[in-house]
């Protein structure tokens, strides 16, 4: 259970959020002004940030106790990947941004979806840097969930779980891990070890990523490639942390590269995908 951020203003109404383990969200808010009497025209509006003007999802607001309104976003309602800003539309005025209220996200912690081949729906409410309420949404099938990421002097060892395939064991038995370089179009492939059921593990040495490195920042995105060539991005989305980049922080290790001394280490991108960054090693202090 989390409280609204201290930076949230008092001008707009706030919405409490309750998440369920299937990916649905329930919003409860105090009815502002005439919305309590005109609840049949009031709606909670989700707008995709950076999308088309008409790219929105409208959720009807209905009474939920004295002076309260409720809107429900079921997991079965498709919500494309991205950041969705939450507004209140009472029908007679310009829709207003909602502020975050109390958030009950306990059902998202250590979430383990059941067997299915339908797209995995993940929606995590969060407070923006301006104190407004937004949702981070993912819609993935198949999905490779990153678990423990261990960093040693030579590389990383990653454990994970595969979701949304018909036979995870068979899929993993024919899969490999690919590190794909964004800048140079290179690919480094390492074997994957399938554990019991949906679980897998792999080790990725840093030396292979640094062989063709020629200076400057270089990012390698991590993918699983299935037996039929199906690419699946490795990510961590099955919890209550909307932005992991500055929360799950891993150390960088020194690497002896052919071009120059380097450093390499894993990190989560702004989309919570797992990648490895290679950079030039800073000079030692005092030199």
């Amino acid at each position: 259970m989390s409280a609204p951020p201290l930076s949230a203003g008092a001008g707009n109404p706030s919405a409490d959020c309750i998440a369920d383990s299937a990916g649905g969200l329930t919003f409860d808010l105090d009815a502002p002004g005439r919305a309590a009497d005109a609840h049949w025209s009031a709606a909670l509006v989700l707008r995709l940030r950076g999308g088309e003007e008409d790219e929105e999802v409208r959720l009807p607001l209905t009474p939920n106790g004295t002076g309260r309104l409720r809107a429900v976003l079921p997991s079965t309602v498709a919500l494309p990947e991205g950041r969705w800003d939450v507004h209140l539309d009472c029908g007679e005025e310009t829709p207003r941004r909602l502020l975050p209220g109390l958030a009950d996200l306990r059902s998202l912690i250590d979430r383990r979806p059941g067997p299915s081949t339908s797209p995995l729906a993940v929606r995590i409410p969060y407070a923006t840097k301006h104190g407004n309420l937004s949702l981070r949404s993912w819609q993935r099938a198949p999905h490779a969930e990153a678990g423990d990421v261990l960093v040693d002097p030579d590389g990383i060892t990653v454990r994970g779980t595969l979701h949304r395939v018909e036979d995870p064991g068979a899929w993993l038995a024919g899969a490999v891990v690919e590190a794909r370089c964004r800048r140079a179009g290179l690919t480094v492939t390492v074997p994957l070890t399938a554990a019991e059921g949906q679980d897998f593990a792999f080790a990725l040495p840093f030396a292979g990523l640094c062989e063709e490195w020629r200076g400057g920042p270089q990012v390698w995105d991590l993918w699983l490639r299935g037996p039929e060539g199906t690419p699946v991005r490795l990510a961590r989305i099955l919890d209550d942390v909307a932005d992991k980049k500055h929360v799950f922080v891993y150390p960088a290790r020194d690497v002896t590269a052919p071009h120059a001394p380097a450093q390499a280490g894993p990190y989560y991108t702004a989309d919570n995908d797992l990648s490895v960054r290679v950079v030039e090693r800073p000079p030692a202090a005092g030199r």
Side-chain angles (χ1 to χ4, degrees):
M1 188 80 72
S2 61
L6 296 177
S7 60
N12 289 351
S14 63
D16 301 332
C17 295
I18 302 175
D20 64 47
S21 59
L25 288 174
T26 299
F27 303 86
D28 289 313
L29 60 149
D30 292 329
R34 288 178 50 81
D37 302 321
H39 56 78
W40 57 86
S41 64
L44 188 143
V45 181
L46 308 177
R47 291 180 178 170
L48 180 61
R49 194 181 304 171
E52 301 293 334
E53 291 185 5
D54 58 350
E55 197 160 6
E56 65 179 30
V57 174
R58 297 181 66 87
L59 305 174
L61 281 162
T62 58
N64 181 42
T66 305
R68 297 280 284 175
L69 296 175
R70 168 168 288 186
V72 178
L73 175 65
S75 61
T76 53
V77 173
L79 201 64
E81 289 203 17
R83 298 179 185 271
W84 294 77
D85 297 328
V86 186
H87 299 75
L88 173 65
D89 184 357
C90 294
E92 297 182 354
E93 55 187 25
T94 302
R96 290 182 286 169
R97 287 295 302 272
L98 282 173
L99 304 179
L102 296 175
D104 185 352
L105 308 181
R106 290 173 292 181
S107 64
L108 300 182
I109 300 174
D110 296 327
R111 180 184 171 196
R112 195 173 181 95
S116 174
T117 57
S118 62
L120 179 66
V122 177
R123 295 85 178 260
I124 305 177
Y126 70 97
T128 69
K129 64 181 180 180
H130 299 297
N132 295 310
L133 177 63
S134 291
L135 304 181
R136 184 62 177 91
S137 173
W138 290 267
Q139 196 91 4
R140 297 194 175 182
H143 167 60
E145 176 75 3
D148 293 336
V149 178
L150 304 179
V151 184
D152 60 39
D154 298 322
I156 60 173
T157 301
V158 180
R159 299 184 184 276
T161 306
L162 181 67
H163 300 278
R164 294 316 198 234
V165 297
E166 186 172 351
D167 188 343
W171 198 101
L172 291 170
V176 295
V177 177
E178 290 184 344
R180 301 179 180 179
C181 182
R182 293 185 192 175
R183 190 175 67 179
L186 303 172
T187 299
V188 172
T189 302
V190 296
L192 176 148
T193 301
E196 184 178 355
Q198 301 170 262
D199 297 334
F200 62 87
F202 65 89
L204 177 65
F206 291 141
L209 307 183
C210 295
E211 286 183 2
E212 301 296 329
W213 173 72
R214 293 297 179 264
Q218 192 173 71
V219 174
W220 295 77
D221 296 326
L222 304 187
W223 296 75
L224 268 60
R225 179 163 54 81
E228 297 179 356
T230 306
V232 180
R233 189 70 166 95
L234 191 64
R236 185 164 183 166
I237 58 177
L238 294 177
D239 56 25
D240 62 338
V241 182
D243 293 292
K244 294 180 175 60
K245 188 171 185 178
H246 302 293
V247 176
F248 292 80
V249 180
Y250 301 97
R253 300 301 191 191
D254 292 344
V255 182
T256 302
H259 174 73
Q263 282 189 336
Y267 76 102
Y268 283 104
T269 71
D271 293 322
N272 288 359
D273 296 323
L274 186 60
S275 297
V276 175
R277 181 187 290 111
V278 177
V279 297
E280 190 165 345
R281 188 187 311 171
R287 293 185 180 178

